[in-house]
Amino acid sequence: MDDSTLQNRRRFLEGVSVGGGILLAGCSGQFGGDAQENVQGDAGQSGSNGVAAVASVDQQAMRKEQAAIRQKVQSGEMNQTEAQQEMASLQTKYVSDAVDSLTGTLEETDGVTVGKTYDSFGVVTVEGEAGAILGLLESDDVRAFVSISDVEEQVAKRNQQANSTSSGQ
């Protein structure tokens, strides 16, 4: 095997394990969003079969802006509540930008169809030819692939938690 094939295989396996672990742990929910998941796309698309692409968020740029917010808190320019709101807004912006970029890449890829978009998870479902989908691993817009059933499970858990929280008040 040549180096690019090995690199793509490693990236895929790393993405599945890391991305799937993040998604299963619910850590990608840190990006905020409404309690009820905002889902866009064709409601008739596949259920639990298939793959979802996790958008690649510009972590370095986001951390730089988060550091600036922390500096404002330390200097007294901003209180904790304002900082938390600003951080949530910042994360939402970066994830939204990443999903938009990923969606654009998917739409430009022959043999691939864009499915549902799970905004707060930074995930877009993908259908199409296996080779075309795997070719997306070369894109900087794709961080990982995870199972659609994993995404749907996390959406259901989040909605259940939101419903139990709102009914418990």
CSV table of all heavy atoms in Angstrom, one decimal, residues 82-120:
chain,number,residue,atom,x,y,z
A,82,GLU,N,-22.0,36.8,31.3
A,82,GLU,CA,-21.7,37.3,30.0
A,82,GLU,C,-20.7,36.5,29.2
A,82,GLU,O,-20.9,36.2,28.0
A,82,GLU,CB,-21.2,38.8,30.0
A,82,GLU,CG,-22.3,39.8,30.5
A,82,GLU,CD,-21.6,41.1,30.8
A,82,GLU,OE1,-20.4,41.2,31.1
A,82,GLU,OE2,-22.4,42.1,30.7
A,83,ALA,N,-19.7,36.0,30.0
A,83,ALA,CA,-18.7,35.2,29.3
A,83,ALA,C,-19.2,33.9,28.9
A,83,ALA,O,-18.9,33.4,27.8
A,83,ALA,CB,-17.5,35.0,30.3
A,84,GLN,N,-20.1,33.3,29.8
A,84,GLN,CA,-20.7,32.0,29.4
A,84,GLN,C,-21.5,32.1,28.2
A,84,GLN,O,-21.5,31.2,27.3
A,84,GLN,CB,-21.5,31.4,30.6
A,84,GLN,CG,-20.6,30.9,31.7
A,84,GLN,CD,-21.4,30.5,32.9
A,84,GLN,OE1,-22.6,30.8,33.1
A,84,GLN,NE2,-20.8,29.8,33.8
A,85,GLN,N,-22.3,33.2,28.1
A,85,GLN,CA,-23.2,33.4,26.9
A,85,GLN,C,-22.3,33.6,25.7
A,85,GLN,O,-22.6,33.1,24.6
A,85,GLN,CB,-24.1,34.6,27.2
A,85,GLN,CG,-25.1,34.4,28.2
A,85,GLN,CD,-25.9,35.6,28.6
A,85,GLN,OE1,-25.5,36.7,28.3
A,85,GLN,NE2,-27.0,35.4,29.3
A,86,GLU,N,-21.2,34.4,25.8
A,86,GLU,CA,-20.4,34.7,24.7
A,86,GLU,C,-19.7,33.4,24.2
A,86,GLU,O,-19.5,33.1,23.0
A,86,GLU,CB,-19.3,35.7,25.1
A,86,GLU,CG,-18.5,36.2,24.0
A,86,GLU,CD,-19.2,37.1,23.0
A,86,GLU,OE1,-20.3,37.7,23.4
A,86,GLU,OE2,-18.8,37.2,21.9
A,87,MET,N,-19.2,32.5,25.2
A,87,MET,CA,-18.6,31.2,24.8
A,87,MET,C,-19.6,30.3,24.1
A,87,MET,O,-19.2,29.7,23.1
A,87,MET,CB,-18.1,30.5,26.1
A,87,MET,CG,-16.9,31.2,26.8
A,87,MET,SD,-15.4,30.8,26.0
A,87,MET,CE,-14.3,31.1,27.3
A,88,ALA,N,-20.8,30.3,24.6
A,88,ALA,CA,-21.8,29.4,23.9
A,88,ALA,C,-22.1,29.9,22.5
A,88,ALA,O,-22.2,29.2,21.5
A,88,ALA,CB,-23.1,29.4,24.7
A,89,SER,N,-22.2,31.2,22.4
A,89,SER,CA,-22.4,31.8,21.1
A,89,SER,C,-21.2,31.6,20.1
A,89,SER,O,-21.4,31.3,18.9
A,89,SER,CB,-22.6,33.3,21.2
A,89,SER,OG,-22.8,34.0,20.0
A,90,LEU,N,-20.1,31.7,20.7
A,90,LEU,CA,-18.8,31.5,19.9
A,90,LEU,C,-18.8,30.0,19.4
A,90,LEU,O,-18.5,29.8,18.2
A,90,LEU,CB,-17.6,31.8,20.8
A,90,LEU,CG,-16.3,31.6,20.1
A,90,LEU,CD1,-16.0,32.7,19.1
A,90,LEU,CD2,-15.2,31.8,21.2
A,91,GLN,N,-19.1,29.1,20.3
A,91,GLN,CA,-19.0,27.7,19.9
A,91,GLN,C,-20.1,27.4,18.8
A,91,GLN,O,-19.8,26.7,17.8
A,91,GLN,CB,-19.3,26.8,21.1
A,91,GLN,CG,-18.1,26.8,22.0
A,91,GLN,CD,-18.3,26.0,23.3
A,91,GLN,OE1,-19.4,25.8,23.8
A,91,GLN,NE2,-17.2,25.4,23.8
A,92,THR,N,-21.3,27.9,19.0
A,92,THR,CA,-22.3,27.7,18.0
A,92,THR,C,-21.9,28.3,16.6
A,92,THR,O,-22.1,27.6,15.6
A,92,THR,CB,-23.6,28.4,18.5
A,92,THR,OG1,-24.0,27.8,19.7
A,92,THR,CG2,-24.8,28.3,17.5
A,93,LYS,N,-21.3,29.4,16.6
A,93,LYS,CA,-20.8,30.1,15.4
A,93,LYS,C,-19.8,29.2,14.7
A,93,LYS,O,-19.9,28.9,13.5
A,93,LYS,CB,-20.2,31.4,15.7
A,93,LYS,CG,-19.6,32.1,14.5
A,93,LYS,CD,-18.7,33.3,14.9
A,93,LYS,CE,-17.9,33.8,13.8
A,93,LYS,NZ,-16.8,33.0,13.4
A,94,TYR,N,-18.8,28.7,15.4
A,94,TYR,CA,-17.8,27.9,14.8
A,94,TYR,C,-18.3,26.5,14.3
A,94,TYR,O,-17.9,26.1,13.2
A,94,TYR,CB,-16.6,27.6,15.8
A,94,TYR,CG,-15.6,28.7,15.7
A,94,TYR,CD1,-15.6,29.8,16.6
A,94,TYR,CD2,-14.6,28.7,14.8
A,94,TYR,CE1,-14.7,30.9,16.5
A,94,TYR,CE2,-13.6,29.7,14.7
A,94,TYR,CZ,-13.7,30.8,15.6
A,94,TYR,OH,-12.8,31.8,15.5
A,95,VAL,N,-19.2,25.9,15.1
A,95,VAL,CA,-19.8,24.7,14.6
A,95,VAL,C,-20.7,24.9,13.4
A,95,VAL,O,-20.6,24.2,12.4
A,95,VAL,CB,-20.6,24.0,15.7
A,95,VAL,CG1,-21.4,22.8,15.2
A,95,VAL,CG2,-19.7,23.5,16.8
A,96,SER,N,-21.5,26.0,13.4
A,96,SER,CA,-22.3,26.3,12.2
A,96,SER,C,-21.5,26.6,11.0
A,96,SER,O,-21.8,26.1,9.9
A,96,SER,CB,-23.2,27.6,12.6
A,96,SER,OG,-23.9,27.9,11.5
A,97,ASP,N,-20.4,27.3,11.1
A,97,ASP,CA,-19.5,27.5,10.0
A,97,ASP,C,-18.9,26.2,9.5
A,97,ASP,O,-18.8,26.0,8.3
A,97,ASP,CB,-18.4,28.5,10.4
A,97,ASP,CG,-18.8,29.9,10.6
A,97,ASP,OD1,-20.0,30.3,10.3
A,97,ASP,OD2,-18.0,30.7,11.1
A,98,ALA,N,-18.5,25.3,10.4
A,98,ALA,CA,-17.9,24.1,10.0
A,98,ALA,C,-19.0,23.2,9.3
A,98,ALA,O,-18.7,22.5,8.3
A,98,ALA,CB,-17.4,23.3,11.2
A,99,VAL,N,-20.2,23.2,9.8
A,99,VAL,CA,-21.3,22.4,9.1
A,99,VAL,C,-21.6,23.0,7.7
A,99,VAL,O,-21.7,22.2,6.8
A,99,VAL,CB,-22.5,22.4,10.0
A,99,VAL,CG1,-23.7,21.8,9.2
A,99,VAL,CG2,-22.3,21.5,11.2
A,100,ASP,N,-21.6,24.3,7.6
A,100,ASP,CA,-21.8,24.9,6.3
A,100,ASP,C,-20.7,24.6,5.3
A,100,ASP,O,-21.0,24.2,4.2
A,100,ASP,CB,-21.9,26.5,6.4
A,100,ASP,CG,-23.2,26.9,7.1
A,100,ASP,OD1,-24.1,26.1,7.3
A,100,ASP,OD2,-23.2,28.1,7.5
A,101,SER,N,-19.5,24.6,5.8
A,101,SER,CA,-18.4,24.2,4.9
A,101,SER,C,-18.4,22.7,4.5
A,101,SER,O,-18.2,22.4,3.4
A,101,SER,CB,-17.1,24.5,5.7
A,101,SER,OG,-16.0,24.3,4.8
A,102,LEU,N,-18.7,21.9,5.5
A,102,LEU,CA,-18.9,20.5,5.2
A,102,LEU,C,-20.0,20.2,4.2
A,102,LEU,O,-19.8,19.4,3.3
A,102,LEU,CB,-19.1,19.7,6.5
A,102,LEU,CG,-19.5,18.2,6.4
A,102,LEU,CD1,-18.4,17.4,5.7
A,102,LEU,CD2,-19.8,17.6,7.8
A,103,THR,N,-21.1,20.8,4.4
A,103,THR,CA,-22.3,20.7,3.5
A,103,THR,C,-21.9,21.1,2.1
A,103,THR,O,-22.2,20.4,1.1
A,103,THR,CB,-23.5,21.5,4.0
A,103,THR,OG1,-23.8,21.0,5.3
A,103,THR,CG2,-24.7,21.3,3.1
A,104,GLY,N,-21.2,22.2,2.0
A,104,GLY,CA,-20.7,22.6,0.7
A,104,GLY,C,-19.8,21.6,0.0
A,104,GLY,O,-19.9,21.3,-1.2
A,105,THR,N,-18.9,21.1,0.8
A,105,THR,CA,-18.0,20.0,0.3
A,105,THR,C,-18.8,18.8,-0.2
A,105,THR,O,-18.5,18.2,-1.3
A,105,THR,CB,-16.9,19.6,1.3
A,105,THR,OG1,-16.1,20.8,1.6
A,105,THR,CG2,-16.1,18.5,0.9
A,106,LEU,N,-19.7,18.4,0.6
A,106,LEU,CA,-20.5,17.2,0.3
A,106,LEU,C,-21.3,17.4,-1.0
A,106,LEU,O,-21.4,16.5,-1.8
A,106,LEU,CB,-21.5,16.9,1.4
A,106,LEU,CG,-20.8,16.4,2.8
A,106,LEU,CD1,-21.9,16.3,3.8
A,106,LEU,CD2,-20.1,15.1,2.6
A,107,GLU,N,-21.9,18.6,-1.1
A,107,GLU,CA,-22.7,18.9,-2.3
A,107,GLU,C,-21.9,19.0,-3.6
A,107,GLU,O,-22.4,18.7,-4.7
A,107,GLU,CB,-23.4,20.3,-2.1
A,107,GLU,CG,-24.5,20.2,-1.1
A,107,GLU,CD,-25.2,21.5,-0.7
A,107,GLU,OE1,-24.6,22.6,-1.1
A,107,GLU,OE2,-26.3,21.5,-0.1
A,108,GLU,N,-20.6,19.3,-3.4
A,108,GLU,CA,-19.7,19.3,-4.6
A,108,GLU,C,-19.1,18.0,-4.9
A,108,GLU,O,-18.4,17.9,-6.0
A,108,GLU,CB,-18.6,20.3,-4.3
A,108,GLU,CG,-19.0,21.8,-4.2
A,108,GLU,CD,-17.9,22.7,-3.7
A,108,GLU,OE1,-16.8,22.2,-3.5
A,108,GLU,OE2,-18.2,23.9,-3.6
A,109,THR,N,-19.3,17.0,-4.1
A,109,THR,CA,-18.7,15.7,-4.3
A,109,THR,C,-19.6,14.8,-5.1
A,109,THR,O,-20.8,14.5,-4.7
A,109,THR,CB,-18.4,15.0,-3.0
A,109,THR,OG1,-17.5,15.9,-2.2
A,109,THR,CG2,-17.7,13.7,-3.1
A,110,ASP,N,-19.1,14.3,-6.3
A,110,ASP,CA,-19.9,13.4,-7.1
A,110,ASP,C,-20.1,12.1,-6.4
A,110,ASP,O,-19.2,11.6,-5.7
A,110,ASP,CB,-19.2,13.1,-8.4
A,110,ASP,CG,-19.1,14.3,-9.3
A,110,ASP,OD1,-20.1,15.2,-9.2
A,110,ASP,OD2,-18.2,14.5,-10.2
A,111,GLY,N,-21.3,11.5,-6.5
A,111,GLY,CA,-21.6,10.2,-5.9
A,111,GLY,C,-22.0,10.3,-4.5
A,111,GLY,O,-22.1,9.2,-3.8
A,112,VAL,N,-22.2,11.5,-3.9
A,112,VAL,CA,-22.5,11.7,-2.5
A,112,VAL,C,-23.8,12.5,-2.4
A,112,VAL,O,-23.9,13.5,-3.2
A,112,VAL,CB,-21.4,12.3,-1.7
A,112,VAL,CG1,-21.8,12.7,-0.3
A,112,VAL,CG2,-20.2,11.4,-1.7
A,113,THR,N,-24.7,12.2,-1.5
A,113,THR,CA,-25.9,12.9,-1.3
A,113,THR,C,-25.9,13.4,0.1
A,113,THR,O,-25.7,12.6,1.1
A,113,THR,CB,-27.2,12.1,-1.6
A,113,THR,OG1,-27.1,11.6,-2.9
A,113,THR,CG2,-28.4,12.9,-1.4
A,114,VAL,N,-26.2,14.7,0.4
A,114,VAL,CA,-26.4,15.2,1.7
A,114,VAL,C,-27.7,14.8,2.3
A,114,VAL,O,-28.7,14.9,1.6
A,114,VAL,CB,-26.3,16.8,1.7
A,114,VAL,CG1,-26.5,17.4,3.0
A,114,VAL,CG2,-24.9,17.2,1.1
A,115,GLY,N,-27.7,14.3,3.5
A,115,GLY,CA,-28.9,13.9,4.2
A,115,GLY,C,-29.4,15.0,5.2
A,115,GLY,O,-29.4,16.2,4.9
A,116,LYS,N,-29.6,14.5,6.4
A,116,LYS,CA,-30.0,15.4,7.5
A,116,LYS,C,-28.8,16.2,8.1
A,116,LYS,O,-27.7,15.6,8.1
A,116,LYS,CB,-30.6,14.6,8.6
A,116,LYS,CG,-31.9,13.9,8.2
A,116,LYS,CD,-32.5,13.1,9.4
A,116,LYS,CE,-33.7,12.4,9.0
A,116,LYS,NZ,-34.2,11.5,10.1
A,117,THR,N,-29.1,17.3,8.6
A,117,THR,CA,-28.0,18.1,9.3
A,117,THR,C,-28.4,18.2,10.7
A,117,THR,O,-29.5,18.7,11.1
A,117,THR,CB,-27.9,19.5,8.7
A,117,THR,OG1,-27.6,19.4,7.3
A,117,THR,CG2,-26.9,20.4,9.4
A,118,TYR,N,-27.5,17.8,11.6
A,118,TYR,CA,-27.7,17.9,13.1
A,118,TYR,C,-26.8,19.0,13.6
A,118,TYR,O,-25.7,18.8,13.9
A,118,TYR,CB,-27.4,16.6,13.8
A,118,TYR,CG,-28.3,15.5,13.3
A,118,TYR,CD1,-28.0,14.7,12.2
A,118,TYR,CD2,-29.4,15.2,14.1
A,118,TYR,CE1,-28.9,13.6,11.9
A,118,TYR,CE2,-30.3,14.1,13.7
A,118,TYR,CZ,-30.0,13.4,12.6
A,118,TYR,OH,-30.8,12.3,12.2
A,119,ASP,N,-27.4,20.2,13.6
A,119,ASP,CA,-26.6,21.4,13.8
A,119,ASP,C,-25.8,21.4,15.2
A,119,ASP,O,-24.6,21.7,15.2
A,119,ASP,CB,-27.5,22.7,13.8
A,119,ASP,CG,-28.0,23.0,12.4
A,119,ASP,OD1,-27.3,22.6,11.4
A,119,ASP,OD2,-29.0,23.6,12.3
A,120,SER,N,-26.5,21.1,16.3
A,120,SER,CA,-25.8,21.2,17.5
A,120,SER,C,-24.7,20.1,17.7
A,120,SER,O,-23.8,20.2,18.6
A,120,SER,CB,-26.7,21.2,18.7
A,120,SER,OG,-27.4,20.0,18.9
